[in-house]
Amino acid sequence: MAFSFSARSRAIEPFHVMALLARANELQAAGHDVIHLEIGEPDFSTAAPIVAAGQAALGVGHTRYTAARGLPQLREAIAGFYASRYRLNVDPERILITPGGSGALLLASSLLVDPGKHWLLADPGYPCNRHFLRLVEGAAQLVPVGPQSRYQLTPEHIQQHWNQDSVGALLASPANPTGTLLHKDELAALSAVLKARGGHLVVDEIYHGLTYGVDASSVLEVDDEAFVLNSFSKYFGMTGWRLGWLVAPPEAVGELEKLAQNLYISAPSVAQYAALACFEADTLAILEERRAEFARRRDFLLPALRDLGFGIAVEPEGAFYLYADISAFGGDAYRFCQHFIETEHVAFTPGVDFGRYQADHHVRFAYTQNLERLQQAVDRIARGLKSWRP
């Protein structure tokens, strides 16, 4: 039977790194020692107090649907977290619990983007952002950004690229793949330029908590009408639990709840009960120790890669990625990544997964392995550069 698939499905690109990951896993299954620096998942397992809370929830039978907006006590706990960490008064009624940060993005894009309309997005950026827009028959207008703006959109970018089909902008702070932040004054300036055009401001704050030497400002500190995407996956270390949240203006909550009811009914109930433990003092102490470890990893890997000739013009202040220019070595990024998987068994991600602007000249390293493994990776990369032929 010949299947005919939708145009939207055909337009959504695969993760190119998945083919590299499959090859890396083949090599690993064959007995090779592969160092994985390609996937954006911390090597730490979920903190013990969170696991214990999930087990307790299972033990007492908390396995049924919750309300579409999520457990009231979890929404209250998140509001308390905004109060303690950001000194913000966020009404729990404005918070919707979602299946991962992806669920939050699905709700926001479904609510705000009509067919043919678009958001402005930084290029490079997280690829699923533009794919969700395509899914709702909208589009991403990719704006080339580089070290000059720390790979972030600026008010000048908005002014230059805004047109009759623009309805908003999706920002990320800290950003994937570059790890750069938008600081409070920059968020305020971007909010102002979008408000002047009647545009929505949506900010991905999924890597909040994973910053080094500086605290990330929430866009809610400067714009109470912004939409905020967040997740329990990164700072809280709950990747496989599939849990996130969305903060929305009060006027949008009813419509978002209706969408949630139809799109996924509710976020996983056991994950929600487990997440209540995220905000306990003992858990936060564990998470802060992990943040310090990520800082040590960044502080090792950044100069080590620069010493090898990788171009990293902007020091990342958050997340756990280094976005590196490989122009000094020639060739295209995908072949470059293939070379190191095959010869040195080190896996990292080609820039083509993150957009189009100079993508062939960049790769992303995720420092989600311990310092010993990172040292081994650097040694292997140094050796592999000697055998690389563009």
Side-chain angles (χ1 to χ4, degrees):
M1 178 178 176
F3 289 97
S4 177
F5 299 121
S6 68
R8 77 178 65 86
S9 177
R10 295 194 303 271
I12 292 175
E13 302 169 29
F15 278 137
H16 295 86
V17 73
M18 298 312 293
L20 297 172
L21 176 61
R23 178 56 180 154
N25 288 337
E26 285 177 3
L27 290 166
Q28 195 163 304
H32 297 285
D33 176 35
V34 178
I35 302 177
H36 292 277
L37 306 181
E38 76 278 41
I39 301 300
E41 182 170 28
D43 55 325
F44 302 111
S45 59
T46 301
I50 302 172
V51 174
Q55 292 170 330
L58 285 171
V60 297
H62 287 319
T63 57
R64 297 180 178 274
Y65 295 132
T66 69
R69 279 194 283 167
L71 288 175
Q73 56 267 48
L74 181 55
R75 293 189 284 113
E76 290 168 5
I78 293 170
F81 189 65
Y82 278 103
S84 61
R85 182 147 294 193
Y86 302 99
R87 303 293 186 263
L88 284 169
N89 181 20
V90 177
D91 187 343
E93 294 301 308
R94 295 174 54 194
I95 300 170
L96 294 94
I97 309 302
T98 60
S102 298
L105 179 57
L106 177 61
L107 289 184
S109 56
S110 299
L111 179 73
L112 300 175
V113 183
D114 277 323
K117 300 301 181 181
H118 63 240
W119 284 343
L120 275 63
L121 275 66
D123 179 2
Y126 181 56
C128 289
N129 293 341
R130 65 181 187 269
H131 296 157
F132 270 107
L133 292 172
R134 179 63 185 90
L135 187 68
V136 299
E137 302 297 337
Q141 183 170 351
L142 299 181
V143 178
V145 294
Q148 300 82 0
S149 65
R150 303 192 332 280
Y151 299 99
Q152 293 283 358
L153 293 183
T154 66
E156 293 73 25
H157 287 131
I158 304 295
Q159 292 165 351
Q160 179 183 353
H161 293 275
W162 191 269
N163 62 39
Q164 70 274 10
D165 292 323
S166 305
V167 294
L170 173 58
L171 314 174
S173 178
N176 176 9
T178 61
T180 62
L181 295 181
L182 284 163
H183 300 286
K184 190 172 181 178
D185 58 335
E186 295 169 321
L187 289 165
L190 285 158
S191 171
V193 74
L194 284 164
K195 282 181 182 295
R197 287 157 176 76
H200 300 291
L201 175 55
V202 184
V203 183
D204 168 351
E205 297 185 353
I206 286 171
Y207 290 93
H208 268 225
L210 292 175
T211 57
Y212 316 111
V214 61
D215 290 327
S217 294
S218 173
V219 68
L220 297 175
E221 296 174 42
V222 299
D223 185 350
D224 202 46
E225 296 180 334
F227 292 78
V228 175
L229 316 175
N230 213 318
S231 172
F232 286 93
S233 290
K234 306 304 182 181
Y235 176 65
F236 295 103
M238 296 180 67
T239 50
W241 299 76
R242 304 315 303 135
L243 201 65
W245 74 85
L246 171 65
V247 183
E251 298 81 5
V253 170
E255 288 296 303
L256 288 165
E257 183 175 17
K258 177 183 68 177
L259 289 168
Q261 291 166 346
N262 282 275
L263 291 172
Y264 54 78
I265 302 178
S266 67
S269 55
V270 173
Q272 293 188 61
Y273 283 101
L276 290 169
C278 288
F279 307 104
E280 296 173 358
D282 289 350
T283 307
L284 291 171
I286 294 169
L287 302 180
E288 286 301 303
E289 289 175 3
R290 293 178 176 184
R291 169 161 59 164
E293 172 62 16
F294 279 124
R296 287 189 286 270
R297 295 176 184 184
R298 181 202 63 167
D299 292 345
F300 164 75
L301 190 58
L302 176 63
L305 290 176
R306 282 174 168 168
D307 287 346
L308 291 179
F310 290 88
I312 306 173
V314 180
E315 180 173 306
E317 296 175 294
F320 35 67
Y321 306 117
L322 296 173
Y323 194 60
D325 188 338
I326 62 166
S327 297
F329 311 121
D332 69 81
Y334 193 86
R335 281 190 57 245
F336 191 78
C337 291
Q338 284 181 312
H339 169 76
F340 283 92
I341 286 177
E342 297 295 341
T343 64
E344 301 299 335
H345 307 140
V346 180
F348 43 92
T349 308
V352 68
D353 267 346
F354 305 105
R356 300 180 179 89
Y357 181 59
Q358 297 185 349
D360 281 346
H361 305 295
H362 286 81
V363 297
R364 188 196 72 176
F365 297 92
Y367 44 93
T368 50
Q369 300 289 316
N370 64 38
L371 283 170
E372 180 181 359
R373 292 294 275 169
L374 292 179
Q375 179 65 70
Q376 292 171 0
V378 168
D379 292 342
R380 294 186 193 182
I381 292 168
R383 186 173 61 209
L385 286 172
K386 296 175 182 176
S387 61
W388 163 245
R389 297 294 179 267

